[in-house]
Amino acid sequence: MANPDVQIFPHATGLAAAIVAKHQEPQDLVYYAGWFCPYVQRGWIALEEKGIKYQYKEVNPYRKERHFLDINPKGLVPAVVYKGKAIYESLIICEFLEDAYPDQNPLLPSDPTSRAIARVWIDHVSKAIIPAFQRLLQAQEKEKQDEAREELYIALRKFANEVQGPYFLGDEFSLVDVAIAPWIVRDYVVHENRGFTREAVSDAWVKYAGTVEKRESVVKTQSERRHLDGIYGRYLRNGAQSEAAKAVRAGRDIP
Ligand code: GSH
């Protein structure tokens, strides 16, 4: 079957379009991105938070074009080319930005124990929160939706219990917040279509999510919602053909 996701709207809009326009000049760091992608938004938030110079290049990852597969053989956005070397996987990119630009607004604490704790919770986002979110999005039967929603509530509640406030680690915005932010700003999809509410998670979650979604770097890396409707519509009907959608249908881990 031809992949319907190939037809996605071709470029960023709204506030994100303004950021894209500002990052067209060649730089040492090229960010290969898809405006719509939550994983892309992670790296994008980190770039903006750290004030790194980068060139933004839009890619439609569903096309699996040769030039992009040469950068990321998995064919997934985001990817970075830094001084000619390719790096991919959103969290690896975020860690790379920390390592390569240590003096520009650090997004991880300096003490090893706190850094490790931050990574524990980033891992929880990857292994518990995102899979539950994705399953809820794609679940068609009511029982499956109820099950996935409950799983998501439990995973978010665990995370929220550890929030120091206002951000996850306290006063400083960190990679833990970067890791979860794109799913906070997309939770309206499961709110409007799957009965999810922030209030059902916990008061701590309502407060934290409300803080993170207002962070400037989070706000300005978002495009207009209307262009996401088609993409999420396919997930909600369980018709999306992305690698993540196929993995969830097959009961495999999300790539
Ligand atoms: N684990 C990857 C990361 O963290 O960077 C996931 C990236 C990912 O799934 N990106 C999606 C993609 O490129 C867009 S949101 N999909 C293309 C496809 O599924 O064929």
Side-chain angles (χ1 to χ4, degrees):
M1 194 217 295
N3 185 346
D5 302 319
V6 165
Q7 306 304 332
I8 49 173
F9 192 78
H11 56 78
T13 54
L15 294 177
I19 302 283
V20 169
K22 277 196 209 153
H23 291 90
Q24 292 303 303
E25 293 302 312
Q27 301 291 347
D28 283 347
L29 192 151
V30 184
Y31 195 50
Y32 288 87
W35 64 268
F36 59 90
C37 173
Y39 300 96
V40 163
Q41 198 184 2
R42 282 175 162 170
W44 208 359
I45 293 170
L47 285 164
E48 286 295 322
E49 286 284 341
K50 292 180 76 67
I52 293 169
K53 289 190 173 158
Y54 64 94
Q55 181 181 16
Y56 180 104
K57 287 199 183 171
E58 186 72 35
V59 173
N60 179 334
Y62 303 107
R63 289 193 198 284
K64 308 292 172 208
E65 287 167 312
R66 186 72 260 161
H67 83 91
F68 187 58
L69 291 173
D70 287 342
I71 294 167
N72 181 358
K74 295 182 182 179
L76 305 175
V77 284
V80 156
V81 173
Y82 180 72
K83 299 185 181 173
K85 294 228 166 76
I87 300 154
Y88 41 87
E89 283 298 321
S90 57
L91 294 174
I92 294 175
I93 290 171
C94 289
E95 292 258 357
F96 164 73
L97 298 176
E98 273 306 281
D99 292 342
Y101 301 86
D103 303 327
Q104 287 181 231
N105 187 23
L107 293 172
L108 278 174
S110 51
D111 139 68
T113 312
S114 309
R115 286 169 86 86
I117 291 170
R119 291 183 177 119
V120 165
W121 288 99
I122 292 171
D123 189 59
H124 177 76
V125 174
S126 300
K127 298 212 178 106
I129 296 176
I130 298 173
F133 184 97
Q134 196 71 32
R135 275 195 285 276
L136 178 57
L137 207 55
Q138 288 180 235
Q140 299 299 295
E141 298 88 24
K142 186 182 175 304
E143 310 82 76
K144 289 265 180 328
Q145 293 176 359
D146 290 348
E147 209 177 282
R149 196 186 319 102
E150 199 46 43
E151 230 184 292
L152 181 58
Y153 285 153
I154 291 168
L156 290 174
R157 213 168 281 141
K158 253 190 209 167
F159 182 99
N161 282 346
E162 302 298 323
V163 169
Q164 303 301 300
Y167 297 111
F168 190 85
L169 296 177
D171 288 334
E172 303 301 330
F173 187 78
S174 77
L175 283 190
V176 186
D177 308 304
V178 171
I180 185 84
W183 283 269
I184 291 177
V185 297
R186 285 164 178 75
D187 73 355
Y188 70 92
V189 179
V190 285
H191 173 64
E192 289 170 7
N193 298 281
R194 294 289 188 260
F196 170 92
T197 66
R198 290 183 184 177
E199 288 72 16
V201 177
S202 66
D203 290 348
W205 179 255
V206 172
K207 200 165 171 198
Y208 172 75
T211 302
V212 169
E213 72 184 352
K214 289 187 199 77
R215 181 89 181 176
E216 191 188 350
S217 60
V218 175
V219 172
K220 69 185 183 183
T221 50
Q222 279 173 79
S223 284
E224 292 165 2
R225 282 186 186 181
R226 63 198 167 105
H227 296 301
L228 282 173
D229 290 351
I231 299 175
Y232 281 112
R234 282 191 290 280
Y235 279 104
L236 290 164
R237 297 189 300 276
N238 203 14
Q241 297 301 321
S242 66
E243 295 307 316
K246 288 189 280 194
V248 166
R249 271 198 291 281
R252 283 186 273 115
D253 288 345
I254 297 172

